[in-house]
Amino acid sequence: MALSKRQRAKAFRLAQYALLVVVAAVLAVVADWGEIKRSFFNLDIAAEMFPNVITVALKNTLVYTALGFAFGLALGLVLALMKLSPVAPYRWLATIYIEFFRGVPALLVFIALSFGVPLAFGLQFDIYSTVMLALGIVGAAYMAETIRAGIQAVPKGQIEAARSLGMSSGRATITIVIPQAFRIILPPLTNELILLTKDSSLIYIIGLARDQYELTKFGRETLSRSPSLTPILVVGLCYLIITLPLGHLSRYLERRTGGKKISTPESTGLGVSG
């Protein structure tokens, strides 16, 4: 007897569940649980990482990310306004910057700021300035496109209404358009914050004192003295402490904004900056 369309769909779902059960059962049988425990779940090594993994590495990761995000957001706003400017050279400069730093790996920016700028210009940045500039310069290229898309998503009637009340174009942009644009782009900006959190691991290229270690550097140093991969697992869990709440926040904000979609680097699959 031929199955109906609904019955076929139900049978297909049951087959997928059965496949997952079979794969999980096979993995459970063939896995060497003793070796997995020794390699990833050595509680003695994990205990030795505390409290420094929290009070030093996690704290520094948050500080580096916040500095880079703040600088990148300010620079991204300037670039977005330049790209929307009626003055052609501003648009060209913004486009060149955005295309260049979206195409260059963040690691190269870290290297340039850490080694190239001191050699070429005699400028020596401290660790916090280097991280803020490197993450901010790269992040700004992505955030500029997100902010531009948000500004363009604000209905033109808002500007026309503000102008009809006697506001100048600049004042209407600052007081009417930009606040609404930021409400629209909060979800993709949260995603950009997650990307910058992971990009902060590139700081390993710079020589650091122990009290300046972020999570990845701290994990690498601990791993070099450990017979187990437990430090990597602990560091990974610490990253999840940061990124999972941000992911939930992004989805919450997206629901609050009505799930309005705008064209951003994230939505076009170009949001990976590292």
Side-chain angles (χ1 to χ4, degrees):
M1 183 176 64
L3 297 176
S4 65
K5 185 176 180 181
R6 186 174 181 178
Q7 289 173 325
R8 287 198 300 271
K10 183 178 180 180
F12 183 67
R13 284 198 301 273
L14 290 175
Q16 292 182 73
Y17 286 128
L19 178 62
L20 286 175
V21 171
V22 170
V23 171
V26 171
L27 289 177
V29 171
V30 302
D32 186 344
W33 293 105
E35 183 59 33
I36 290 175
K37 182 179 179 182
R38 283 190 295 274
S39 299
F40 293 97
F41 301 100
N42 190 319
L43 297 181
D44 292 334
I45 294 175
E48 291 175 2
M49 297 177 69
F50 289 89
N52 287 342
V53 69
I54 299 296
T55 59
V56 176
L58 181 60
K59 184 201 73 174
N60 283 336
T61 296
L62 292 173
V63 171
Y64 296 150
T65 303
L67 289 173
F69 184 78
F71 180 69
L73 186 62
L75 182 57
L77 176 59
V78 173
L79 290 168
L81 294 176
M82 289 175 63
K83 194 158 185 182
L84 294 172
S85 170
V87 182
Y90 285 163
R91 295 199 305 274
W92 299 339
L93 289 173
T95 300
I96 291 170
Y97 179 98
I98 291 169
E99 295 301 326
F100 180 80
F101 283 105
R102 280 172 55 176
V104 172
L107 181 60
L108 294 185
V109 179
F110 269 94
I111 293 173
L113 283 173
S114 303
F115 307 109
V117 170
L119 287 175
F121 303 102
L123 296 175
Q124 190 70 48
F125 300 115
D126 61 27
I127 184 67
Y128 294 101
S129 299
T130 301
V131 177
M132 180 184 71
L133 291 173
L135 291 180
I137 286 171
V138 176
Y142 292 89
M143 285 189 265
E145 285 294 80
T146 300
I147 296 171
R148 176 196 57 75
I151 291 174
Q152 291 180 321
V154 177
K156 291 183 179 178
Q158 299 282 338
I159 284 280
E160 294 169 356
R163 296 299 300 274
S164 68
L165 294 175
M167 286 187 183
S168 65
S169 177
R171 184 181 175 190
T173 299
I174 294 172
T175 61
I176 304 294
V177 176
I178 290 179
Q180 294 189 65
F182 270 85
R183 280 196 291 273
I184 295 172
I185 63 176
L186 276 177
L189 281 183
T190 308
N191 290 333
E192 184 61 36
L193 185 57
I194 293 173
L195 293 174
L196 285 182
T197 301
K198 293 185 289 185
D199 278 351
S200 68
S201 64
L202 299 173
I203 197 174
Y204 77 86
I205 197 70
I206 307 171
L208 298 173
R210 290 189 64 82
D211 62 350
Q212 296 171 331
Y213 283 3
E214 45 71 53
L215 283 170
T216 300
K217 180 71 174 177
F218 185 88
R220 286 162 57 96
E221 288 295 317
T222 310
L223 182 65
S224 66
R225 307 189 303 272
S226 170
S228 166
L229 295 174
T230 301
I232 299 300
L233 179 65
V234 173
V235 166
L237 292 175
C238 289
Y239 273 113
L240 291 179
I241 291 174
I242 303 173
T243 57
L244 286 181
L246 288 174
H248 284 290
L249 176 63
S250 176
R251 289 190 288 276
Y252 170 76
L253 293 173
E254 190 169 349
R255 289 195 298 272
R256 286 292 301 271
T257 56
K260 189 169 185 177
K261 300 295 184 182
I262 58 176
S263 177
T264 67
E266 288 78 12
S267 66
T268 56
L270 299 174
V272 179
S273 55

